[in-house]
Amino acid sequence: MRLTRPSRRTAAAGAVLALGFAGGTVLAVGLADGEQLAAATGSPDPVAAATAAPPSVEEAQPTLPPEGVALPTPSSDVHVTVDALGMDLPVLPLTPRNGTINPPTLTAAYWIQPYGDPVGAAEQADNTLYLAAHSTGTGEYGFDPLMESDGGGSTLEAGDVIEVSTLQGTVDYTVERTQRYAKGELPRATEVWESSPGRLVLITCFQRGGGRASTENLVVFAES
């Protein structure tokens, strides 16, 4: 279901190991018990992301703020921008915990370690760069701009440009395609996790509109 705003007196705790919010699961890229997150071939540490300590049962998940309350935006020298959509997000590093990608805030994107890092020039890339962010269906946070508000599909098309900027420079990535994956399917989608230096992959929850539960992840494939 769609994310809901808690009352000023309500503290919401999300589900552990399944990127949850009050009101619905958002970006679940989790695995079955005992499995590990698929690592892109050539990763310097293929299993590091899956062997970190699991989160505490009491660990709170981010929630939508009460009406009229603005969420803070983290500071970063790395940004992902889509000018055509008016999207500009800071980008921070994130190591999956127990095989689950769980961005800690709604107002930033996160590059997934130990895969590719943001670089200042395309020729410096040594692996696929994965950026993950929440989406809420409100149009206000994370990768919300990547989806049509009515749940009809992605706002990105082949040929659109995504910029990833660092202090060393900016790399332009041209969108090749978008694809939706069932949440249980994504971890085993080998075409998503293969190593391809110079490739950018964006991952978020696909919001279907109308308050319906999100059952898929939206993946955007782009090349520098």
Side-chain angles (χ1 to χ4, degrees), residues 70-183:
L71 291 176
T73 299
S75 177
S76 177
D77 292 327
V78 182
H79 277 245
V80 57
T81 305
V82 182
D83 286 339
L85 302 179
M87 188 186 83
D88 184 353
L89 293 175
V91 182
L92 303 165
L94 176 67
T95 297
R97 303 182 70 179
N98 201 41
T100 299
I101 298 171
N102 186 356
T105 71
L106 293 175
T107 54
Y110 293 82
W111 83 79
I112 307 306
Q113 299 178 325
Y115 304 109
D117 294 338
V119 293
E123 59 271 18
Q124 297 171 348
D126 61 5
N127 206 330
T128 299
L129 172 62
Y130 296 93
L131 300 185
H134 286 296
S135 61
T136 68
T138 67
E140 299 180 35
Y141 299 103
F143 281 162
D144 276 343
L146 305 186
M147 281 157 286
E148 297 174 353
S149 59
D150 62 358
S154 175
T155 54
L156 287 174
E157 298 179 348
D160 288 342
V161 175
I162 303 168
E163 295 181 351
V164 179
S165 60
T166 70
L167 288 177
Q168 289 71 43
T170 298
V171 179
D172 290 347
Y173 296 89
T174 302
V175 173
E176 293 193 328
R177 63 186 177 94
T178 66
Q179 186 166 338
R180 287 148 58 180
Y181 293 85
K183 293 198 173 187

